[in-house]
Amino acid sequence: MTSTILIRGAKVLGGEPQDVLIEGETIARVGTGIEAEGATVVDARGAILLPGLVDLHTHLREPGREDSETVLTGTKAAAVGGFTAVHAMANTFPVADTAGVVEQVWRLGRESGYCDVQPVGAVTVGLEGKQLAELGAMHESAAGVRVFSDDGKCVDDAVIMRRALEYVKAFDGVVAQHAQEPRLTEGAQMNEGVVSAELGLGGWPAVAEESIIARDVLLAAHVGSRVHICHLSTAGSVEIVRWAKSKGWDVTAEVTPHHLLLTDELVRSYNPVYKVNPPLRTEADVLALREALADGTIDCVATDHAPHPHEDKDCEWSAAAMGMVGLETALSVVQHTMVDTGLLDWAQVADRMSFRPAAIGRLEGHGRPVAAGEPANLVLVDPAYRGVVDPAGFASRSRNTPYEGRELPGRVTHTFLRGRATVVDGKLA
Amino acid sequence: MKRHLISAADLSRDDAVLILDTAEEMARVADRPIKKLPTLRGRTVVNLFFEDSTRTRISFEAAAKRLSADVINFSAKGSSVSKGESLKDTALTLEAMGADAVVIRHHASGAPHRLATSGWINGSVVNAGDGTHEHPTQALLDAFTMRRHLAGAPDGGPTHHQGGGDGTGRDLTGRRITIVGDVLHSRVARSNVHLLHTLGAEVTLVAPPTLVPIGVERWPCEVSYDLDSVVPKSDAVMMLRVQRERMNAAFFPTEREYARRYGLDGDRMARMPEHAIVMHPGPMNRGMEITAEVADSRRCTAVEQVANGVSIRMAVLYLLLGGAVLEPAAESAETKAENPNSRTEESK
């Protein structure tokens, strides 16, 4: 039996209110005054309708660290956050560096039913940066991997990086680089600057990110490949990517929600909930990142959702794990930092959080226009909502959010994955 | 006074002077035949040391014992993670044992701050050195030593140590203090910059540029790379310990070059003003940052600093734990036993 859902009066991509009729897995009609007998009606007056969000950068932790997240709990969190597809990073145990592991993650995603899971393959065996993993085998597997990353570690060897960039051209792949010069960041605990000097915490200098990005955009240009920069975090990185794009090189970049909002001043609390890699930077960096996301220099928002068990954050700073959960708060942070500030309209949010990331990942069936005949991957957002973040209510297995107790705007009321509601009235269906 | 002592930056000028003045009174106790006050009888002070530091630990231990507190030494070397027990669980254990104050030395910057603010314990937390962050009691004992030498004369002018009490009530306004060495990795330097600035001194840091942190421009001090130009204008020159292994990380080329450019030898000391003192928090690397000639000279206060450390730590514990009235210990065991207050405390 085919289900029929009529979304009534939603502002499609923030535009004029329209009705959207979903039949089965597909959008059947978009228009005004649509009637459909027997359809489940969703009153969406005042809400924004966007294509389902796509995350290029998610840590689902399975296999290996099921104490912090599983594919099931991670995809539930994704659905709550309005995502219909996430890219699962490769730094699991075992590492997703073989066809077997990526297929396992892909299959777990299919079984979860809350959100599509597109595994990312490791660039090198064991993320060790020495030997290329079987990139072709991962691509040809059922998981159909096109995005490769050693995220968590930088592919710092210039020759390995060059080879990876060249090799994936054969199947239109992309290398997503975690840009971190390892020698410059030995013992790094936070952004290097005024605050690290006072707190006596090891510095993670901006140049350690920028020098790798500069090298990699030049390498990509040299070999005619595309490169994607993960979680870009500094004003200097923005300048390099802007320059590379001005040359016409195929360079894309992402920014995390937390780098759009939080600064290293928060580290003064020594509360490890603010410990993340790359680290929180300065106010000037935050403003440069917002501007770059607005003008398209930065292509997309990616969460870098990084769940950690409580004990890994309930300790002294240097012993704590790096990372923050982000799937369930991403859209609110983007509304707060980009929409409510007038930097982006909702159509541009759809671009930065759905169209562009899907295009970079060459993901089929996601990041599509809200139009008849397209897959019904959709999300409804109530932009007028104001709420205080309470991690106790998270769908994620982990609670390491930097936004606890903070008031943020906007709320995902409904998420539809191929016509099936995964979230209804803000709760998992 | 606040409940904790985590950072020298948290101390106001009046707080700092109060601690120094109290330490002067404590120092007088050390001159008595019975070096003990009953003020903290029945209170428990835990020395929680995650890092070896016999000097600092015994200084706190002596201070607590002279105030009649019960002292528990808890040595928890190694990182909490590798040890298998978290800082939190250690803290909960100490809380269960009824620690009134926890003196913590930890290799991780910010660990005392976490201990004081995470709700794990109710007692006072005293930072006895955390990573490369701060070491506030060291800065206090340094300031105490400087005040005795530099702020003691009636006209506020420089003078050498003239016995206990010199400088009481005064700060270090206008004194020019030079701190030389591995500022980047030094918790002593950080605490001293904050405290000396609060006390009105003019601080200059001298180090090779590699050992000065990025971001230092916001500190309330001057920075120089040239020791020779600063020495003649200094009322006190504080030499920081430089670990030889820094050489391997290319912070400087060789020990010899470091010693030549940034070490204090007899020639440099001779160019200091006549009244100026040489300080060192210890342990000294003789031949590296300081020559034996300087270390053993009359102008070097390193040993005096150790003695002053006990007085300062007594003052800090006394003020944090709100130890009633400052009064000398009873002259004999009998009178002590007859003191109704002490009996009440003991029966608690």
Side-chain angles (χ1 to χ4, degrees):
Chain A
M1 195 192 109
T2 314
S3 72
T4 309
I5 298 167
L6 179 59
I7 300 170
R8 211 185 271 289
K11 297 174 185 171
V12 177
L13 272 52
E16 290 303 306
Q18 299 198 67
D19 302 336
V20 175
L21 183 67
I22 301 171
E23 285 178 358
E25 299 189 349
T26 312
I27 298 171
R29 286 173 66 194
V30 179
T32 48
I34 296 176
E35 295 295 336
E37 206 167 314
T40 307
V41 175
V42 177
D43 180 0
R45 282 171 297 179
I48 309 287
L49 183 69
L50 302 174
L53 307 182
V54 175
D55 192 10
L56 264 179
H57 196 140
T58 316
H59 296 277
L60 293 178
R61 301 292 189 224
E62 191 176 3
R65 285 308 300 265
E66 292 82 356
D67 57 329
S68 49
E69 196 81 285
T70 64
V71 172
L72 182 61
T73 59
T75 52
K76 282 181 177 178
V80 169
F83 291 88
T84 53
V86 296
H87 288 74
M89 275 299 173
N91 62 339
T92 49
F93 303 95
V95 172
D97 58 1
T98 62
V101 178
V102 292
E103 279 192 358
Q104 181 198 358
V105 172
W106 174 78
R107 188 171 40 74
L108 287 167
R110 302 246 306 179
E111 289 167 2
S112 92
Y114 285 95
C115 173
D116 284 353
V117 175
Q118 174 56 57
V120 172
V123 176
T124 65
V125 175
L127 307 176
E128 285 178 351
K130 295 194 174 83
Q131 184 192 348
L132 285 187
E134 289 194 349
L135 308 179
M138 287 189 274
H139 172 67
E140 285 163 16
S141 74
V145 177
R146 274 211 174 85
V147 181
F148 298 90
S149 181
D150 277 0
D151 181 65
K153 288 189 177 175
C154 182
V155 182
D156 66 306
D157 184 305
V159 173
I160 297 285
M161 186 61 183
R162 175 199 167 140
R163 300 286 184 243
L165 287 168
E166 287 179 304
Y167 192 81
V168 300
K169 280 204 286 187
F171 38 87
D172 196 20
V174 64
V175 176
Q177 175 69 294
H178 171 116
Q180 176 179 3
E181 212 291 317
R183 286 277 284 146
L184 285 172
T185 51
E186 282 172 12
Q189 294 287 329
M190 67 171 296
N191 179 50
E192 181 168 76
V194 168
V195 182
S196 67
E198 266 182 56
L199 298 186
L201 288 172
W204 200 131
V207 65
E209 174 173 306
E210 293 153 5
S211 59
I212 292 291
I213 295 176
R215 182 199 74 179
D216 288 352
V217 299
L218 291 166
L219 277 176
H222 180 63
V223 301
S225 298
R226 60 192 185 109
V227 66
H228 177 74
I229 309 300
C230 294
H231 42 53
L232 190 146
S233 73
T234 78
S237 298
V238 167
E239 287 305 306
I240 295 164
V241 170
R242 189 173 280 141
W243 170 74
K245 287 192 168 187
S246 77
K247 295 280 199 180
W249 300 340
D250 202 349
V251 175
T252 55
E254 70 191 31
V255 63
T256 70
H258 47 269
H259 287 113
L260 291 172
L261 179 60
L262 309 177
T263 71
D264 64 353
E265 289 292 330
L266 291 164
V267 182
R268 290 183 187 281
S269 67
Y270 285 107
N271 184 343
V273 79
Y274 301 115
K275 185 173 176 180
V276 65
N277 193 21
L280 300 178
R281 304 287 188 183
T282 68
E283 184 76 23
D285 293 305
V286 166
L287 296 176
L289 294 170
R290 289 184 188 183
E291 189 191 324
L293 183 64
D295 71 21
T297 302
I298 293 176
D299 298 80
C300 62
V301 174
T303 66
D304 196 4
H305 176 82
H308 289 291
H310 186 63
E311 62 270 23
D312 286 356
K313 289 288 191 180
D314 197 21
C315 55
E316 59 274 30
W317 181 275
S318 66
M322 301 198 195
M324 304 168 167
V325 292
L327 286 169
E328 295 173 70
T329 48
L331 192 58
S332 289
V333 174
V334 170
Q335 182 185 337
H336 177 60
T337 57
M338 302 299 295
V339 180
D340 293 355
T341 53
L343 289 166
L344 289 183
D345 59 27
W346 286 103
Q348 290 169 311
V349 170
D351 181 68
R352 308 302 195 269
M353 297 188 78
S354 182
F355 300 150
R356 288 298 297 152
I360 292 165
R362 303 290 194 255
L363 201 58
E364 287 170 11
H366 291 276
R368 303 293 305 161
V370 181
E374 295 289 351
N377 294 318
L378 298 166
V379 56
L380 274 172
V381 185
D382 173 9
Y385 179 87
R386 291 283 180 285
V388 173
V389 177
D390 177 13
F394 279 180
S396 169
R397 182 163 282 183
S398 290
R399 303 280 178 269
N400 52 306
T401 175
Y403 309 115
E404 180 172 6
R406 191 185 278 259
E407 190 185 277
L408 288 174
R411 174 173 178 251
V412 170
T413 61
H414 293 72
T415 307
F416 300 95
L417 177 64
R418 280 184 292 280
R420 190 175 76 80
T422 54
V423 173
V424 174
D425 293 329
K427 295 192 170 54
L428 285 168
Chain B
M1 273 296 283
K2 299 178 175 64
R3 195 156 65 89
H4 308 293
L5 179 60
I6 306 298
S7 163
D10 297 338
L11 296 172
S12 68
R13 186 249 176 217
D14 288 350
D15 282 341
V17 171
L18 174 65
I19 295 171
L20 301 186
D21 289 353
T22 307
E24 284 291 358
E25 295 189 44
M26 297 298 174
R28 276 179 223 126
V29 174
D31 296 335
R32 297 204 186 98
I34 299 173
K35 301 175 172 44
K36 210 163 169 117
L37 293 171
T39 27
L40 296 186
R41 189 181 297 153
R43 315 294 291 276
T44 301
V45 174
V46 176
N47 285 324
L48 176 59
F49 276 56
F50 288 87
E51 206 178 59
D52 273 336
S53 176
T54 310
R55 293 162 153 262
T56 305
R57 184 181 57 73
I58 61 176
S59 180
F60 271 105
E61 188 172 350
K65 284 180 171 167
R66 282 186 195 171
L67 293 169
S68 306
D70 295 322
V71 180
I72 298 172
N73 289 314
F74 190 129
S75 173
K77 246 196 316 170
S79 82
S80 60
V81 171
S82 68
K83 186 169 164 282
E85 181 173 76
S86 68
L87 178 63
K88 177 181 179 174
D89 286 327
T90 305
L92 295 176
T93 301
L94 299 180
E95 179 67 11
M97 289 176 181
D100 295 295
V102 176
V103 175
I104 176 174
R105 161 73 67 113
H106 203 286
H107 46 82
S109 299
H113 187 279
R114 284 289 279 166
L115 195 61
T117 58
S118 299
W120 300 331
I121 59 168
N122 290 312
S124 292
V125 175
V126 180
N127 181 359
D130 62 328
T132 53
H133 177 223
E134 285 224 35
H135 194 355
T137 59
Q138 177 71 43
L140 284 162
L141 75 88
D142 290 338
F144 181 85
T145 307
M146 288 175 209
R147 193 174 76 163
R148 281 191 159 189
H149 285 271
L150 305 173
D155 62 355
T159 177
H160 279 284
H161 185 200
Q162 294 174 343
D166 275 346
T168 292
R170 295 176 191 268
D171 57 21
L172 293 167
T173 299
R175 300 290 165 250
R176 296 160 303 176
I177 314 298
T178 300
I179 302 174
V180 188
D182 186 357
V183 176
L184 180 63
H185 301 96
S186 175
R187 50 195 171 210
V188 176
R190 280 173 179 77
S191 287
N192 262 298
V193 167
H194 287 304
L195 182 68
L196 294 173
H197 172 72
T198 299
L199 289 171
E202 295 163 17
V203 182
T204 302
L205 301 175
V206 180
T210 45
L211 291 175
V212 177
I214 297 283
V216 77
E217 64 277 3
R218 292 269 291 272
W219 293 11
C221 62
E222 299 293 315
V223 176
S224 169
Y225 306 136
D226 179 14
L227 183 55
D228 285 317
S229 68
V230 181
V231 156
K233 298 179 287 189
S234 304
D235 296 313
V237 177
M238 182 188 301
M239 304 307 296
L240 300 173
R241 177 181 170 79
V242 177
Q243 293 181 13
R244 290 187 158 83
E245 50 269 34
R246 301 287 179 223
M247 185 176 78
N248 302 327
F251 287 106
F252 49 86
T254 62
E255 287 174 46
R256 292 320 311 153
E257 171 146 327
Y258 183 87
R260 272 197 301 274
R261 292 177 64 83
Y262 297 100
L264 192 61
D265 59 10
D267 288 347
R268 281 200 173 106
M269 184 170 69
R271 293 198 290 276
M272 288 166 52
E274 204 178 329
H275 68 270
I277 55 171
V278 174
M279 305 181 72
H280 197 299
M284 292 191 274
N285 265 325
R286 288 168 185 251
M288 183 76 175
E289 71 270 4
I290 192 165
T291 62
E293 178 191 358
V294 176
D296 297 329
S297 79
R298 194 178 62 86
R299 306 176 78 166
C300 180
T301 61
V303 175
E304 196 186 320
Q305 285 168 262
V306 174
N308 292 343
V310 177
S311 303
I312 280 291
R313 286 159 184 142
M314 286 174 77
V316 166
L317 290 172
Y318 170 79
L319 292 166
L320 285 181
L321 294 179
V325 216
L326 187 59
E327 59 186 34
E331 293 303 322
S332 70
E334 285 121 51
T335 49
K336 204 191 283 177
E338 278 161 20
N339 183 332
N341 290 333
S342 63
R343 209 181 291 141
T344 317
E345 281 185 23
E346 276 163 3
S347 64
K348 270 180 192 167

